[in-house]
Amino acid sequence: MILQGVEWKVRKGEHWVILGANGSGKSTLLNVFNAFIAPTEGRLFAFGREYGEDDWNEVKEGIGYVGSEVNRMIEPGESGLDVVVSGARAMINFWGETNPKEQRAARSILRRLGCLALEKRYWRQASQGERQKLLFGRALMAKPKVLFLDEPCAGLDPVARSSYLEFMESNASRPRSPSLVLVTHHVEEITPSFTHALLLSEGRVVASGIKDEVLTSKNLSIAFGSRIRLRRRAHSYGVTVLE
Amino acid sequence: MILQGVEWKVRKGEHWVILGANGSGKSTLLNVFNAFIAPTEGRLFAFGREYGEDDWNEVKEGIGYVGSEVNRMIEPGESGLDVVVSGARAMINFWGETNPKEQRAARSILRRLGCLALEKRYWRQASQGERQKLLFGRALMAKPKVLFLDEPCAGLDPVARSSYLEFMESNASRPRSPSLVLVTHHVEEITPSFTHALLLSEGRVVASGIKDEVLTSKNLSIAFGSRIRLRRRAHSYGVTVLE
């Protein structure tokens, strides 16, 4: 998938959702920001620094990422606290000397996230919903300015999903939260604190900007190449595919 | 996860949905039927034959399976036809001599599924929704009597999901369709042809039987350990998590 003419800016205090069909370029966009793949054309900036010009490893420290790849790499015997601590140095699994300062920071994150009960639980004992929360906490350890959440509710049962969405919303609404960027297939997962939306189709931007201006039946129908009706309830969205 | 006292029978002409929280035993049940794991207690029958007494490899031929494990094992350069043909002998990827009879059978399945356009397309070129349909076709090659579908819509965008659900429904409503057993987290995916439902919680049966008797707000609340309201529309379901 090649991204073409994608102009996208995330400003402080904004929370974005990225929507698009399978193969629209969502994953490519995430991979570019995580520097898993390098842009061959175009320019990529983060926090005023440019990819190729600056040390992107330093820039990357401002960008957190929660995705299923990380999930699969955690050892079953790591405790919840270990998982969070390991995020301090962008390492997976924590084998080094325990650092009391990092442990305190991790515990404070667990407390803030309402996940202190997971501190001593082994990764293998944690439910899928609990794991997603731990990975969120792990990403916070590096104090990111932007936190990408790649389909965090995939595979969660309805109750675990509902609990995760509440968790995400309460984090997004904190004044000092990093900007969240939620990549999802489900408009039902766009909680009220999300301010902006980016709609991709075949590597191009269909619409980008304020959530309520971007999320319309017309734009979604263009993005997904099929007639879609977007329903708005009080604070949430739903879609119906019409053809 | 240990299954305890699970009594479950699928009869000819029935289509089942299996619902349950993460960790409720759904995957264990699938794995037992596919003989990926052996039951340590209790008795397992299929088509009048008993596990441990009969050659389960023969019995297994009657049981088709579509899951993400298979998806990951297909080589990117296999054509749609190859993928389907490979199902004839429960092999993954087709390297042997091409057998014209099996090729004809595979083409006829593709036609019946409305997927003839995928015949020559490479696996790597197929969208996620198209892949799910090919895996369904692949499973049909072995003429199963029961076909397990393990979260077939996971990761599909709304339009691909809607297309897959129509595809599944049109197959389920064919008179000579194998019994479908759909494992899912989403009641929205239960199409009208499904006749029965099995609700699991912590390895035990919460309810089992005729769909409309099993799928109630009360049973779902017990199964998921949280207050859930089930909504019924004309031919479909939705849930709201209340607490």
Side-chain angles (χ1 to χ4, degrees):
Chain A
M1 172 50 57
I2 298 164
L3 294 171
Q4 289 183 294
V6 171
E7 261 203 64
W8 179 49
K9 276 184 195 169
V10 177
R11 290 181 184 79
K12 209 174 159 178
E14 296 175 352
H15 298 300
W16 284 73
V17 60
I18 304 183
L19 293 168
N22 296 128
S24 62
K26 301 188 304 295
S27 304
T28 305
L29 197 65
L30 291 192
N31 287 337
V32 166
F33 273 96
N34 281 287
F36 295 145
I37 55 176
T40 50
E41 270 184 65
R43 302 173 73 179
L44 177 66
F45 291 88
F47 322 122
R49 300 171 76 171
E50 182 165 11
Y51 188 90
E53 300 289 314
D54 291 291
D55 181 350
W56 202 251
N57 279 324
E58 281 178 28
V59 175
K60 263 184 70 181
E61 285 175 14
I63 301 173
Y65 179 72
V66 176
S68 54
E69 296 81 356
V70 184
N71 197 320
R72 278 197 288 268
M73 288 187 280
I74 308 261
E75 294 285 334
E78 292 279 293
S79 72
L81 190 73
D82 292 339
V83 170
V84 175
V85 166
S86 75
R89 306 169 200 172
M91 296 188 323
I92 309 241
N93 302 319
F94 186 72
W95 299 110
E97 285 293 302
T98 54
N99 173 333
K101 199 179 147 202
E102 286 173 348
Q103 293 218 330
R104 276 197 302 276
R107 200 168 289 116
S108 139
I109 285 174
L110 283 174
R111 189 177 301 114
R112 166 148 63 90
L113 298 181
C115 293
L116 212 50
L118 305 178
E119 180 182 351
K120 292 183 178 155
R121 200 170 299 169
Y122 293 125
W123 183 252
R124 66 165 173 273
Q125 298 170 315
S127 71
Q128 282 183 254
E130 289 166 345
R131 289 179 180 182
Q132 283 301 115
K133 292 177 185 176
L134 286 174
L135 292 178
F136 192 105
R138 179 184 178 280
L140 289 185
M141 271 300 280
K143 299 193 174 70
K145 292 172 187 165
V146 181
L147 179 49
F148 286 87
L149 304 170
D150 191 7
E151 301 200 43
C153 296
L156 298 189
D157 67 54
V159 171
R161 186 194 202 193
S162 164
S163 162
Y164 188 84
L165 293 177
E166 260 179 49
F167 165 90
M168 186 176 71
E169 174 62 14
S170 85
N171 274 285
S173 61
R174 292 172 67 91
R176 293 176 61 194
S177 166
S179 285
L180 301 185
V181 179
L182 171 68
V183 175
T184 182
H185 281 312
H186 301 283
V187 294
E188 295 82 357
E189 295 171 5
I190 307 173
T191 59
S193 288
F194 284 85
T195 56
H196 290 70
L198 173 67
L199 268 180
L200 293 175
S201 172
E202 298 181 359
R204 292 168 189 275
V205 175
V206 173
S208 172
I210 306 274
K211 180 173 70 172
D212 282 334
E213 293 169 11
V214 167
L215 295 181
T216 63
S217 295
K218 192 180 162 196
N219 282 340
L220 287 170
S221 299
I222 294 169
F224 289 102
S226 193
R227 222 146 62 82
I228 286 182
R229 186 194 302 138
L230 183 76
R231 301 184 308 272
R232 276 169 221 244
R233 299 187 202 101
H235 293 294
S236 66
Y237 298 90
V239 292
T240 313
V241 179
L242 299 174
E243 61 192 27
Chain B
M1 173 50 57
I2 298 165
L3 295 170
Q4 289 182 293
V6 170
E7 262 202 65
W8 179 49
K9 276 184 196 169
V10 177
R11 290 182 185 80
K12 209 174 159 177
E14 296 176 351
H15 298 300
W16 284 73
V17 60
I18 303 183
L19 293 168
N22 296 127
S24 61
K26 300 188 303 295
S27 305
T28 306
L29 196 65
L30 291 191
N31 287 337
V32 165
F33 273 97
N34 281 286
F36 295 146
I37 55 175
T40 49
E41 268 184 65
R43 302 173 74 180
L44 176 66
F45 291 88
F47 322 122
R49 300 170 77 171
E50 182 165 9
Y51 188 89
E53 301 287 313
D54 291 290
D55 182 349
W56 201 250
N57 279 323
E58 282 179 27
V59 174
K60 263 183 68 181
E61 286 176 12
I63 300 172
Y65 179 72
V66 176
S68 55
E69 298 82 357
V70 183
N71 199 320
R72 278 198 287 270
M73 287 186 279
I74 307 262
E75 294 285 335
E78 293 277 294
S79 73
L81 190 73
D82 291 339
V83 170
V84 175
V85 166
S86 76
R89 304 168 201 173
M91 294 187 324
I92 308 236
N93 302 318
F94 187 73
W95 299 110
E97 285 293 303
T98 54
N99 173 333
K101 199 180 147 199
E102 285 173 346
Q103 293 219 331
R104 277 196 302 277
R107 199 167 291 117
S108 137
I109 285 174
L110 284 173
R111 188 176 302 113
R112 165 147 64 91
L113 298 181
C115 293
L116 212 50
L118 305 177
E119 180 181 351
K120 292 183 179 156
R121 200 169 301 168
Y122 292 125
W123 183 252
R124 66 166 175 273
Q125 298 170 317
S127 71
Q128 282 184 256
E130 290 167 345
R131 288 178 180 184
Q132 283 302 114
K133 292 177 184 176
L134 286 173
L135 292 178
F136 192 105
R138 179 183 178 279
L140 288 185
M141 271 300 280
K143 299 193 173 69
K145 292 172 186 163
V146 181
L147 179 49
F148 286 86
L149 304 169
D150 191 6
E151 301 200 44
C153 296
L156 298 188
D157 66 53
V159 171
R161 185 195 204 196
S162 165
S163 161
Y164 188 85
L165 293 177
E166 260 181 47
F167 165 91
M168 185 176 71
E169 175 62 15
S170 85
N171 273 284
S173 61
R174 292 173 66 93
R176 293 176 63 193
S177 166
S179 286
L180 300 185
V181 179
L182 171 69
V183 175
T184 182
H185 281 311
H186 302 282
V187 295
E188 296 81 358
E189 296 171 3
I190 307 172
T191 59
S193 287
F194 284 84
T195 56
H196 289 70
L198 173 67
L199 267 180
L200 293 175
S201 172
E202 299 182 358
R204 292 169 190 274
V205 174
V206 173
S208 172
I210 306 275
K211 180 173 69 173
D212 282 334
E213 292 169 12
V214 167
L215 295 181
T216 63
S217 295
K218 192 181 162 197
N219 283 339
L220 287 170
S221 300
I222 294 169
F224 289 102
S226 193
R227 222 148 60 84
I228 286 180
R229 187 194 301 137
L230 183 76
R231 301 184 308 272
R232 274 167 222 243
R233 297 184 204 103
H235 292 294
S236 65
Y237 298 89
V239 290
T240 312
V241 179
L242 299 174
E243 62 192 28

